[in-house]
Amino acid sequence: MIPSSTIGEGDPARSRRHARRAAALLAAGFLTIAAPHAVMAKVGPKVSGTKVSATKAPAAAKAATPAPLPAPPADGIMGFVMTSFSPAVHIGKDDCPEGPQGVLRDHYLETLPAPEATRLRLKVNEEELTSRWKKYAVGPDDTNICSQPQLFDRPPTRFLKGKVAQGINLDGDSGNGAGVPNGCAHENFFGPDGEPGVDNQYWRVQGCAEGVRGVNDAPGETTRGLNQFLLSGEHSQVLILRGVDSLVRDDDVEIIYANTEDRAIVDSNQKFLPGASYSVTRTPQYRNVLRGRIVNGVLTTQPVDIRLRQTWGQGGGRDIRGARSEWALRRSQLRLTFQPDGSLHGIVAGYQPLLNVIQSPSIGGIGAATAAGINCAGIYKALKLAADGDRDAGGQCTTISTAIEASAIPAFINDRPAGQKVAER
Amino acid sequence: MSRALSSRSLSPSPSGRRSPARWLAALALIASPLALAACTADKAPGGAQASALSAPPAPLFTGALAQVVAMRRITESQYRNSIADIFGTDIKVAGRFEPIVRPVHELIATGGSASTISPAGLEQFDAMARGIAAQVFDADHRGWFVKCTPRNPKLADSACAAEALTPLGRYLFRRPMTGGELAAYVKMADAAATQTGDFHMGLQLALSAMLTSPNFLFIVESGEDDPASPGDLRLDNYSRAARLSFFLWNSTPGEALLTAAAEGRLTDAVQMAAIAQKMVQSPRIEAGVRAFFEDMLLFEKFDEMAKDNVVYPRFNADVAQALPEQMLRTIVDHLIFRDGDYRDLFTTRHTFVNRALGPLYQVPVSQSQGWVPLELPAADERAGILGQAGFLALYSHSGRSSPTLRGRAVRELLLCQPVPNPPGNVNFTAVQDVNSKTLHTARMRLNAHNTDPVCAACHKITDPLGLPLEKFDGIGAFRYTENKAPIDTNGVFEGVAFSGAVGLGKALAASKSTTECVASRALEYATGRHPGEETDLITGIEQGFEKQGYRMRSLFLQIATLPQAYRIKAPAMGTTPAAIAALGATPGGPTKIGAQP
């Protein structure tokens, strides 16, 4: 919560002040800068609908009287830094009737005859069980289920059974997807507001995994970890919106969606501060250019392939810490809602290559399987079965629709257009 | 010429070392009698290696030392700068410095004149000295400072030790050592070398003793008969060299100044003026101006500044670290780089920000690292040094702004008008209730508080200068309202009404008190003594300041060359050996406090 003493109270004069300051700097010859159009105003906590987790956006709730949106800056350029970026969670009571996805130990026991499984579950046989399920994680020639999940033919992990999920209708289909060019048949979701045809087969696979779904309204490890990576700079992301004439309706907006190498500027509670400055990455492939439109305060972009950096940890390259990978979201769309406090909240959706979904435990290797109990091979099998994009010649879809829940707050973003030489110290 | 000098005056080699050719070129420059001109752009002392390389060793002090008339403890920054200048910036100074106590309403510079060193403080100095000496004579560095080759590196070598220690002593003590001092340090080095079986260990011990000598830890000012005023004293040449160097550059005197002192040029008004003129034109004046304003504006308070992170979550360590630096960058940019009018320091819209401060000021910062210039818009309500978050945060409480603290700071620090402390039985309830349902703003709360006439008497002095800054909260962030109530920023100063931080800045800029105050502070800072009732002298300095368009360089030059500043008013403390003995050292020998060599 921003203290009342530091907020703009929605005074339009403040926006003008910011614009004047930014204009002064620009006039002084500094870089192109996307300015935050308004400081975070004092608002209450985000409203949670009955079917929406604690992390859900107020857009999903039925506000009686929507608060007015601030005016865009005079130059139409707005900057944001991502403050959350993790799988879009929707909690439905019928999602996981068979229980959570479970861990490798459970999955191993399920492969055994019931009497044997019962025997091994006895406390006295714990050591034998541990030894056996850990062996279940390895294969011949020093392979293991996380480093080489595609080499193991394991039963798929449990699928989510619910009908509702967050996401975007990426393929334009509201049926079963069978007729989608280059796609595969799948059971679409309805959105929390009843929108049909929502594509989020990732949630179908991982929606019952406690690390993703969370436990008792607490966010899961995946959510916490990915958002921590935004803070630590491992995949910090920024947005620049250009040509914004209105936050209510604008038919043509350019969006720069990029990584930044700058560490987050945070308060003493490790919360992102609005109005901080970030520079777009020097790596051109992680500077994505999108086009979109704003309708009723919702920015929606046209499908485009998006690549973003993802560094797992900050160590060197000799072990998993510091290993580099990336987010590859094919035919990705953003659907972000402008909030009265100046922030953005919504969905980043697209099709992920299957192995990208489990790249973190894959990098972790055998440790991810035997220490964290992640059944990479089982998840991979489930991903293959649920995959709904980029069908190969053999009829197997190679990507899976995914919805990421994202939030961003106003920031000053220094752009680095491709080919621009920026003088640096 | 020191290694540090080389790093500034010459392009360093990739390894950070100077090439021999460049080194010799620099040496030739410094060895010239006219080398002072070169020093204006150089680091100060730099003589250690020059002396070591040149044929004749640095001279020893002959005759009796002059009468000690004042001793000032060097500050932490002066210590660090001295070490960097003498030994090079890669010599690390690690340790905690015992603070110099600031006398009430005065400067740390005057506190240094009455400062002693406690046993615990001396332990710290001793630890730092040993660390420095170990680095200076380690295998990587000793070649810069020991040009002779000991007959046997495992044995004592008095001649080589004397050759190495003589120039170092001259830079550390800011005058040549006496024969007795050198003999004692060499004796110490020899004894340690014999005991350890390592010639360089002996040098380490001798150097660490020199670094804990009062002759290094204190700026010892000596007097001599003043021919212009028989019977009176004036500062001698070496004391003037130290005065000039510490005042203008905040570091120890360099080769050029020590040479000028040896040649008696610093007691010649014309020659001294020429030297001071070059020094104030040097880029190194930035260090002097920074140090002066750090002292004048009580920057030591930044070390203890704390904010309630519930009230001000955006205040973090990075912000705290950036605030004083932003103020100093603004000050030196305006006063030195732009050669601006001191009065405009209160209205300037030029400042600097880094990424940490960007959110506080709500401005873009175009670089990921470092500082970038910021010119505030003409209509911005923040301007001048009083509008800087550093000043506003420093003079606030941990969880709320304080018009009283801010007004008092303006009065005391910028106008030199001391404000009495509040009585001990004040009821602060109304002022501290920042969530009052009826008294929404600080002005309302202070008005309620001031219904007590005892309180009102002082608040009339402070609050009209603090309330105009109320649109900035306790960490200096802008706000339109307090508790949703509009903030009244009207104020009055010297009978003139104004509004807001910009108005306050203009009011201060228009006041003679402002310029008289900084003139007085500069004199106090240079001399280490409070000017007291010398109003005529201050007025005269201020008039000179005015004639020069209130340029800081001109003020520093005026004070650096002011004859009165070198006249001795304080009673003499006695001769150097006696004074040193009073501090617990050994007269006539190595002067390590509280310990024999």
Side-chain angles (χ1 to χ4, degrees):
Chain A
M1 179 68 71
I2 307 296
S4 61
S5 57
T6 63
I7 60 175
E9 307 280 1
D11 192 318
R14 183 151 199 180
S15 292
R16 290 195 294 273
R17 254 175 86 235
H18 297 148
R20 282 198 299 271
R21 286 183 175 175
L25 278 181
L26 290 169
F30 292 111
L31 296 175
T32 303
I33 293 169
H37 65 293
V39 179
M40 297 282 285
K42 185 179 183 182
V43 295
K46 293 175 179 175
V47 180
S48 294
T50 53
K51 288 188 173 182
V52 181
S53 74
T55 58
K56 291 293 128 345
K62 306 293 183 187
T65 306
L69 294 173
D75 62 3
I77 302 176
M78 306 168 71
F80 297 88
V81 60
M82 284 287 191
T83 57
S84 68
F85 185 85
S86 59
V89 174
H90 176 275
I91 306 298
K93 63 182 176 59
D94 299 324
D95 283 350
C96 308
E98 299 165 356
Q101 185 186 75
V103 293
L104 188 59
R105 177 181 184 275
D106 306 323
H107 301 157
Y108 170 69
L109 287 167
E110 288 169 5
T111 66
L112 302 175
E116 178 65 355
T118 301
R119 183 188 71 80
L120 285 174
R121 284 194 176 98
L122 294 175
K123 183 72 177 173
V124 68
N125 297 320
E126 180 64 34
E127 188 174 337
E128 180 188 354
L129 172 60
T130 300
S131 171
R132 289 173 62 174
W133 77 255
K134 288 192 174 182
K135 286 178 182 170
Y136 187 59
V138 299
D141 301 326
D142 205 22
T143 57
N144 67 77
I145 60 168
C146 282
S147 297
Q148 298 88 13
Q150 68 275 30
L151 300 181
F152 294 78
D153 184 18
R154 294 287 167 81
T157 50
R158 284 178 196 135
F159 291 100
L160 178 131
K161 308 293 188 190
K163 305 291 185 188
V164 180
Q166 296 199 72
I168 294 175
N169 185 349
L170 294 170
D171 58 13
D173 174 73
S174 299
N176 65 0
V180 176
N182 298 320
C184 295
H186 57 276
E187 183 183 357
N188 278 313
F189 286 103
F190 290 95
D193 58 357
E195 176 191 5
V198 167
D199 294 305
N200 189 355
Q201 293 304 303
Y202 169 91
W203 185 243
R204 183 72 68 198
V205 174
Q206 290 288 72
C208 291
E210 291 182 328
V212 177
R213 185 181 184 85
V215 179
N216 296 330
D217 291 333
E221 293 168 8
T222 301
T223 301
R224 284 187 277 116
L226 288 173
N227 289 332
Q228 176 60 34
F229 289 164
L230 294 178
L231 285 168
S232 62
E234 280 144 295
H235 68 178
S236 302
Q237 302 167 17
V238 293
L239 288 167
I240 301 172
L241 276 51
R242 291 204 180 99
V244 182
D245 302 317
S246 164
L247 298 191
V248 179
R249 184 170 186 92
D250 190 318
D251 289 336
D252 187 16
V253 176
E254 182 188 61
I255 300 99
I256 307 298
Y257 183 18
N259 287 118
T260 175
E261 276 105 22
D262 295 336
R263 286 198 68 140
I265 301 284
V266 297
D267 66 18
S268 54
N269 299 315
Q270 293 294 297
K271 302 292 185 191
F272 279 87
L273 280 171
S277 296
Y278 299 86
S279 295
V280 166
T281 178
R282 296 180 183 84
T283 310
Q285 63 263 36
Y286 297 139
R287 178 182 180 274
N288 304 279
V289 182
L290 298 75
R291 299 212 77 87
R293 60 195 303 229
I294 299 169
V295 177
N296 292 330
V298 180
L299 170 69
T300 305
T301 64
Q302 297 168 7
V304 65
D305 291 351
I306 288 176
R307 293 173 67 188
L308 294 166
R309 187 193 68 237
Q310 171 66 74
T311 304
W312 301 97
Q314 297 176 327
R318 297 179 63 185
D319 59 9
I320 65 165
R321 295 197 60 74
R324 293 170 185 274
S325 60
E326 66 177 28
W327 290 89
L329 296 167
R330 296 180 188 166
R331 301 184 298 288
S332 179
Q333 296 181 48
L334 276 58
R335 187 164 72 193
L336 302 170
T337 303
F338 291 98
Q339 306 297 319
D341 65 1
S343 65
L344 284 171
H345 189 96
I347 297 293
V348 175
Y351 291 90
Q352 289 195 80
L354 303 185
L355 285 173
N356 276 25
V357 175
I358 51 173
Q359 59 187 348
S360 173
S362 292
I363 292 170
I366 185 67
T370 58
I374 298 173
N375 183 358
C376 301
I379 296 171
Y380 182 67
K381 185 62 174 287
L383 288 168
K384 287 181 70 175
L385 291 171
D388 54 346
D390 298 286
R391 189 177 62 228
D392 64 16
Q396 171 64 51
C397 274
T398 60
T399 60
I400 188 164
S401 56
T402 304
I404 304 291
E405 185 172 348
S407 297
I409 61 169
F412 293 103
I413 309 300
N414 306 309
D415 195 8
R416 286 194 178 104
Q420 178 176 315
K421 301 284 186 186
V422 179
E424 307 228 8
R425 284 187 174 181
Chain B
M1 178 170 218
S2 73
R3 300 168 54 233
L5 169 60
S6 70
S7 68
R8 282 220 175 171
S9 60
L10 300 172
S11 300
S13 63
S15 64
R17 298 276 187 253
R18 182 178 41 234
S19 70
R22 284 177 173 269
W23 161 239
L24 289 172
L27 176 63
L29 191 66
I30 293 302
S32 162
L34 301 176
L36 189 65
C39 89
T40 58
D42 292 344
K43 302 288 277 185
Q49 298 197 47
S51 300
L53 283 175
S54 54
L60 293 178
F61 208 100
T62 55
L65 289 172
Q67 191 171 15
V68 173
V69 295
M71 296 177 71
R72 300 163 64 181
R73 228 189 82 190
I74 59 173
T75 64
E76 177 175 346
S77 60
Q78 289 167 346
Y79 185 108
R80 291 184 183 279
N81 291 345
S82 298
I83 296 301
D85 282 353
I86 295 171
F87 300 113
T89 52
D90 56 343
I91 301 298
K92 305 300 178 202
V93 178
R96 296 175 64 88
F97 287 77
E98 187 173 58
I100 298 172
V101 177
R102 175 189 292 275
V104 177
H105 303 311
E106 293 184 14
L107 298 177
I108 284 178
T110 54
S113 298
S115 179
T116 59
I117 299 173
S118 73
L122 184 59
E123 282 183 12
Q124 287 294 325
F125 278 124
D126 183 54
M128 283 186 275
R130 289 171 188 271
I132 292 165
Q135 295 172 73
V136 168
F137 292 119
D138 68 18
D140 291 338
H141 295 96
R142 68 176 59 138
W144 293 95
F145 305 104
V146 186
K147 291 301 174 186
C148 52
T149 303
R151 286 169 298 178
N152 184 334
K154 295 181 179 178
L155 297 175
D157 183 336
S158 299
C160 190
E163 187 178 333
L165 295 174
T166 299
L168 295 181
R170 178 164 168 263
Y171 290 115
L172 291 169
F173 295 174
R174 306 160 203 113
R175 59 164 174 78
M177 288 192 292
T178 65
E181 287 170 334
L182 177 63
Y185 285 119
V186 169
K187 185 179 177 184
M188 180 193 302
D190 287 352
T194 301
Q195 195 168 358
T196 61
D198 185 336
F199 170 76
H200 294 100
M201 284 293 291
L203 290 181
Q204 281 187 36
L205 191 63
L207 178 58
S208 65
M210 293 162 79
L211 288 165
T212 47
S213 163
N215 288 306
F216 173 67
L217 296 175
F218 288 81
I219 302 165
V220 180
E221 294 192 327
S222 307
E224 62 183 18
D225 291 334
D226 185 354
S229 180
D232 289 339
L233 295 177
R234 65 179 186 184
L235 284 193
D236 66 14
N237 268 273
Y238 284 110
S239 301
R240 289 171 183 240
R243 170 79 65 86
L244 285 174
S245 189
F246 283 112
F247 173 43
L248 299 176
W249 290 358
N250 200 38
S251 188
T252 198
E255 182 59 37
L257 269 176
L258 291 174
T259 301
E263 294 170 359
R265 286 188 274 140
L266 298 180
T267 44
D268 179 280
V270 174
Q271 295 193 64
M272 182 175 179
I275 290 168
Q277 173 69 31
K278 288 173 180 170
M279 291 183 75
V280 298
Q281 294 303 327
S282 161
R284 299 198 69 191
I285 192 71
E286 177 187 351
V289 171
R290 274 178 170 253
F292 168 64
F293 280 98
E294 283 179 334
D295 197 348
M296 177 173 163
L297 300 178
L298 277 62
F299 267 39
E300 71 272 19
K301 287 169 68 73
F302 277 112
D303 294 338
E304 59 197 44
M305 183 171 69
K307 297 296 174 185
D308 186 330
N309 64 12
V310 174
V311 180
Y312 301 118
R314 74 166 72 176
F315 188 86
N316 56 32
D318 292 338
V319 171
Q321 192 174 23
L323 292 178
E325 179 62 19
Q326 184 195 30
M327 292 181 72
L328 289 174
R329 280 177 180 264
T330 305
I331 289 168
V332 296
D333 176 67
H334 176 74
L335 297 178
I336 302 302
F337 303 144
R338 295 174 186 271
D339 195 24
D341 186 320
Y342 175 74
R343 298 169 300 176
D344 294 341
L345 190 58
F346 300 97
T347 56
T348 181
R349 298 196 173 277
H350 294 280
T351 183
F352 296 82
V353 288
N354 64 5
R355 282 192 72 227
L357 289 183
L360 185 59
Y361 280 74
Q362 287 291 303
V363 294
V365 181
S366 59
Q367 288 183 181
S368 297
Q369 305 287 331
W371 294 80
V372 296
L374 170 68
E375 182 176 357
L376 296 165
D380 203 288
E381 297 196 47
R382 191 194 295 273
I385 200 75
L386 297 178
Q388 301 240 311
F391 178 86
L392 296 160
L394 194 59
Y395 297 103
S396 292
H397 296 292
S398 66
R400 60 186 167 93
S401 65
S402 174
T404 306
L405 290 180
R406 289 172 179 173
R408 182 173 185 174
V410 171
R411 287 281 183 196
E412 294 188 337
L413 307 185
L414 300 172
L415 300 170
C416 297
Q417 298 168 353
V419 176
N421 284 323
N425 59 346
V426 177
N427 181 355
F428 289 111
T429 306
V431 183
Q432 292 174 342
D433 186 9
V434 293
N435 297 314
S436 168
K437 301 294 183 191
T438 54
L439 305 172
H440 302 300
T441 66
R443 184 183 291 270
M444 295 173 182
R445 295 190 291 274
L446 281 166
N447 285 341
H449 173 73
N450 290 340
T451 53
D452 182 342
V454 175
C455 300
C458 286
H459 283 281
K460 281 180 182 172
I461 299 171
T462 57
D463 298 357
L465 299 185
L467 286 167
L469 301 172
E470 269 299 284
K471 280 198 174 175
F472 301 97
D473 66 16
I475 59 171
F478 186 83
R479 58 182 177 182
Y480 279 97
T481 60
E482 184 180 7
N483 293 321
K484 297 184 179 177
I487 296 171
D488 176 357
T489 60
N490 290 320
V492 177
F493 176 57
E494 295 182 344
V496 178
F498 60 87
S499 179
V502 174
L504 175 60
K506 289 177 180 173
L508 287 183
S511 172
K512 209 71 171 170
S513 300
T514 305
T515 48
E516 283 178 354
C517 180
V518 72
S520 167
R521 291 297 194 204
L523 177 64
E524 179 182 350
Y525 180 76
T527 60
R529 62 174 189 261
H530 192 270
E533 300 303 316
E534 295 176 287
T535 51
D536 291 345
L537 181 61
I538 301 300
T539 301
I541 295 172
E542 200 279 336
Q543 288 170 348
F545 193 22
E546 181 183 14
K547 282 180 187 168
Q548 297 298 321
Y550 294 111
R551 264 46 185 188
M552 208 64 200
R553 278 194 180 91
S554 73
L555 177 62
F556 271 36
L557 177 62
Q558 187 186 176
I559 290 172
T561 55
L562 193 69
Q564 295 94 318
Y566 295 94
R567 290 181 187 146
I568 310 307
K569 290 197 164 190
M573 295 175 64
T575 60
T576 297
I580 292 169
L583 289 167
T586 306
T591 48
K592 185 176 179 184
I593 299 175
Q596 288 293 330

